[in-house]
Amino acid sequence: MDGQCPERPHSRTPTGRMSSAVSQNSRISLPVSTSTKDASCMKVPQDSARRDRWSHPTTILLHKSQSSQATLMPQEHGMFMAEAYSAATCFKMLQDMNSADPFHLKYIIKKIKNMAHGSPKMVMETIHDYFIDNPEISSRHKFRLFQALEMVIRASDVLEETWEKTFTRLALENMTKATELEDIYQDAASNVLVAICRHSWRVVVQHLETELLTGVFPHRSLLYVMGVLSSSEELFSQEDKACWEEQLIQMAIKSVPFLRTDVWSKELLWTLTTPSWTPQEQSPEKAFLFAYYGLILQAEKNSATVRRHLQALLETSHQWPMQREGMALTLGLAATHHLDDVWAVLDQFGRSRPIRWSLHSFSPKNSEDLHWKWASSTILLAYGQVAAKARAHILPWVDNIVSRMVFYFHYSSWSLYSRTTEALDLMLQSLIMQNPTAGELHFLLSHLYTWLASEKAHERQRAVHSCMILLKFLNHNGYLDPKENFKRIGQLVGILGMLCQDPDKATQRCSLEGASHLYQLLMRHKGETLQAESQAPKELSQAHSDGTPLWNSRDQKATPLSPQEMAKNHIFQLCSSQVIKEIMQQLTLAELNDLIWTAIDSLGSTSPFHVQAASEMLLTAIQEHGAKLKIVSSMAQAIGLRLCSVHNPQAQEKTLHAITLLARNHTRELVATFLDISIPLDSHTFQLWRALGAEQPTSHLVLTMLLAWLQERPLPTGASDSSPCPKEKTYLRSLAAMNMLRELQFAREFKQAVQEAYPKLFLALLTQTHYVLELNLPGEPQPKQQAQEAAMPSPQSCSTSLEALKRLLSTTGHWHDFAHLELQGSWELFATIHTYPKGVGLLARAMVHNHCRQITVVLRQLLPSLQSPEERDRKVAILILTEFLYSPALLEVLPKQAALTVLAQGLHDPSPEVRVLSLQGLSNILFHPDKGSLLRGQLRPFLDGFFQSSEQVILCIMGTVSDTLHRLGAQGAGSQSLSVAISARSFFNDERNTIRAAAMALFGDLVAATADRELSGLRTQVHQSMVPLLLHLKDQCPAVATQAKFAFYRCAVLLRWRLLHTLFCTLAWERGLSARHFLWTCLMTRSQEEFSIHLSQALSHLHSHSHHIKTWAALFIGHTICYHPQAVFQMLNAVDTNLLFCTFERLKSDPEPSIREFATGQLSFLQKVSARPKQ
């Protein structure tokens, strides 16, 4: 056996992966952790650190005779002394190793190593002498000496035969010795033997073989050495490695009889199943034993014996990963000569009750359950090893093995190992060779898709590597039938493209290379000429029966695609995004759709990287080919549904940008699709709408389409349990369009489009409000309707359309018109079909009073509506037109004669309401200028009627005067304005609530109808009304407070106050001290004249009969005192002062804390001021 191969004792040639030949085409590989051996240095117990510090003499003896020293010449004597000094130093360092701390020990070992490089013989002699001279040293000290000896032997280029035999004997004696250091002591001695193998491995192996074949189960240290030898990358040259593997096979053949020895077999199984102290790492002895066991079973000729041993092995614990991998290796090696037996054992084991339980149970309840939890992973590994070791015989079984591997991988909690992927690579290539069709390629790759989408980086890495190997194999061999089209190739392109963005660099590289090979496959399949063909790899692991090379993962690692090879084709020089774009150019429309759907599906992944990559893939596909897509509605809907799971801001941004690009050519489909998923509307769907309008041309088109859907307005069919008919779907889309028009007004993307579409939106929303009122559904939904109505905007009220109208006015700069209705509380008029006309009229009237610049464009927009077949359109148009007759801007669009013609046509309208409104319009003062003097002449008699005793009569007369002022339009009341103002103001403090409210409303109408030329006469009246109106903002009657707000605002507009918008917001919604302070500032900081007027008005209200008004007057004065105390006290008399004292004293008990605090402070201030002597 020794003569088969020449011995190379000094060879240091490294090899590739360690493997042991089991047949011509079969190798074993032991996955031993390199950290196992090094860990022994770190686990020495410290309790015996001082045990033998004085156990040996400290004097260093020079082992040379005096006679030999005496005969030396002076120069030789000097050399001798230098060598003796080095030996003494080395001896001293060996001695110090016993007590050295870890840091110092590291220093000593480094020094000894440096000595060994210069004088290895001297160091080895010193170590040997130290062992001889100090036989009683501690185990701990010996452990450290063995470490030093191993290092010295490894550092030596030559090991003399004498030292080889000496240290081999020393190692053999100590590697089985039991000490308190347990395994690490034995491993240190064993490592000396391993180091000797570097110089003369055959001699060591003879000793090992002798011990191994005694019939007694070998000691652990013996297996440890065998394991290290089998897994070492440095000990053997390639030729020596083959000799070692052959010798190992012969040992296994000689060990076959031991399988029938009960004691030996039980010892073997116990050793294999005993957990290591590092269960996550495979110890060298156990790794070797699994492989050696497989070789023995491989050599066994009795099938029954093989099955019995494999069944016993599988019935042990599967808890640790290395244990599972070792079992799989044993089964794979046995399958080389016993494939049927191994298959039968695995099949029977897979059908057993514990395995079936482990596939479906995820909550182990006891240790027995934990024992079987990962058994399916062992089976999965075993199938992979079977495929790897029994290659020549596996092809008929390959379909079955692939399906079972995928099945067990799906159910197991197993990490993908390289040997299984190697087997998988070979099987995939074999299958495609047997059936070289595009359908078979899709079928094979579909088994990998689950792994390619895994959240575990190593699973994705190895799966994409297998995918790349298969694509490379097909690219270089051209097996696929060119007559058959690829199936779902877009899905593969999408997956590879997304994996090009994987955080793992190896996965990125494999994905890019796989995509490049796929591109070449597509080009060749289409019959286009490639500029250069990539060459086949130089190293082939196996040849098929017809000479075709089969590649596996190990070959790919050994011979990656070289830069020169990549440079021959431009596709290998591009970045991943460019490669994917090139592939997209070759895809059909159906394949592009498949790619996009793959990206969309991945948006729902729980992996952040997958979502990010999917968004980039989706954006790229739509950016390059969005215009050619035919049906995008389902895609858009799927994107909308998955957007809620996209939490990464960058991925969300790219996904929404894809929608923006898609909308360039498919706006109509996207609007319809998004309307269907906008009931109800959530934040994610609203983002889709914003993306839809991110580009200005598209935003205008989106609004146009929404208006078109809004104007469909079909009446809904009766509620039923059946699916919605097309008419109901249109109805729902119409309501959804109304909802979106409301929401999009606050989106900055639609700001310009909304502004430009204001006339259309204004009329459409007014008409929509009427449409909702027409539905006239019951206020309380019936139980059967609950579910249906929960999913749609409520049609029972006009709240949505009215809110949209409000937002339109407030967001497009028409807040003045909004303020008129808000301060009057007139939005409630739009809540019923009967008060709706009055609400529209007031809104149009506000536009006229505020000289709205949109009157002309709204007028142009509404004129065609007068001819609409829908009554609601004509009704809204005539309501607005009759109010616009009071605006001078009307004549810019509609001359007087044309206006008369339009109104005359309205007299023939089928709707009675339109006919009445047309008739009222014909009576407008625009067409009868002389009517103005007649109306003004009636004002004096009306004013005299204000002093009637009947409350209803007074209210009627005040209403008539207001109506008269409105009908006078731009002509105004003229000289009668002052009389009307004085008469109205005289009723501001009337005890009757309705009279107060009507008087303030009349005063506001007068102010609104007053032109600049008439203001001089009314200015004092307006100033004198401001404080009373302000105090009545807190009137106990809500109607009075409302009219006070509106009149106050109108007066401020007439007086051209600044910050009118802030004033409106304060009057409409704000409460508390900040609001009161702002209103006080507006009144009291304008001029000295106005200050005196307002203060005198406040002082006069201290004498009011209304307790409420008196209180607020005192607060107003108190606020003024805070800022202008001297001015106030100059105007206060004794009566006013006493009233203030009494009022503030009473306000100290007010329910509102802020008023109590303010009153207390004012009272204290007044008392201090009153106590001062008068100047």
Side-chain angles (χ1 to χ4, degrees), residues 74 77 88 199 209 227 458 557 664 712 787 820 822 874 878 884 930 953 976 1108 1161 1166:
H77 180 73
H199 302 277
E209 181 177 1
H458 65 277
K557 292 176 183 176
R664 291 177 178 176
E712 289 290 331
H820 269 242
E822 182 70 22
R874 302 194 306 274
I878 197 65
F884 280 6
D930 298 338
V953 171
Q976 301 292 330
H1108 204 68
L1166 285 174

Side-chain angles (χ1 to χ4, degrees), residues 848-950:
V848 174
H849 287 168
N850 294 319
H851 308 289
C852 178
R853 291 175 294 178
Q854 294 282 355
I855 286 180
T856 54
V857 287
V858 171
L859 190 58
R860 290 190 181 96
Q861 191 69 37
L862 68 81
L863 288 176
S865 299
L866 293 170
Q867 310 301 322
S868 172
E870 295 290 342
E871 179 182 347
R872 72 177 75 91
D873 294 340
R874 302 194 306 274
K875 181 178 177 180
V876 170
I878 197 65
L879 282 168
I880 296 174
L881 177 61
T882 53
E883 290 295 335
F884 280 6
L885 291 173
Y886 293 101
S887 173
L890 173 85
L891 298 179
E892 298 177 17
V893 178
L894 199 63
K896 185 183 296 185
Q897 189 58 45
L900 283 170
T901 303
V902 170
L903 292 170
Q905 291 174 350
L907 296 176
H908 304 286
D909 194 275
S911 170
E913 294 180 81
V914 175
R915 294 199 299 270
V916 170
L917 290 168
S918 299
L919 185 59
Q920 291 176 354
L922 287 172
S923 65
N924 191 279
I925 197 172
L926 174 67
F927 308 114
H928 309 281
D930 298 338
K931 196 174 180 179
S933 58
L934 177 62
L935 291 174
R936 280 191 293 272
Q938 299 298 318
L939 287 176
R940 173 55 61 183
F942 286 151
L943 295 178
D944 294 338
F946 282 9
F947 300 96
Q948 297 286 330
S949 60
S950 172

Side-chain angles (χ1 to χ4, degrees), residues 265-300:
S265 299
K266 288 182 179 180
E267 188 75 15
L268 168 67
L269 201 60
W270 181 88
T271 304
L272 287 175
T273 56
T274 301
S276 304
W277 64 273
T278 53
Q280 299 301 325
E281 299 177 357
Q282 187 74 293
S283 62
E285 62 270 23
K286 188 170 291 188
F288 168 76
L289 195 56
F290 275 118
Y292 191 62
Y293 193 15
L295 292 176
I296 298 174
L297 292 174
Q298 187 182 107
E300 171 63 68

Side-chain angles (χ1 to χ4, degrees), residues 449-456 460 495 498-499 502-503 597-615 638-639 641-648 651-652 655:
Y449 286 162
T450 301
W451 297 349
L452 291 171
S454 171
E455 294 186 7
K456 298 179 180 178
R460 295 194 306 271
I495 292 174
M498 289 185 285
L499 288 175
D502 196 286
W597 273 109
T598 301
I600 293 173
D601 290 340
S602 296
L603 289 176
S605 172
T606 57
S607 168
F609 130 72
H610 271 118
V611 176
Q612 178 69 26
S615 65
I639 292 174
L641 293 175
R642 285 166 176 77
L643 189 63
C644 60
S645 62
V646 179
H647 303 296
N648 183 290
Q652 196 173 81
T655 303

Side-chain angles (χ1 to χ4, degrees), residues 19 76 98 108 228 295 392 461 515 543 571 604 770 774 814 871 915 1039 1041:
S19 57
E76 294 175 341
N98 178 51
I108 293 174
V228 173
L295 292 176
Q461 179 190 124
I571 196 66
H770 192 283
E774 289 177 33
H814 298 83
E871 179 182 347
R915 294 199 299 270

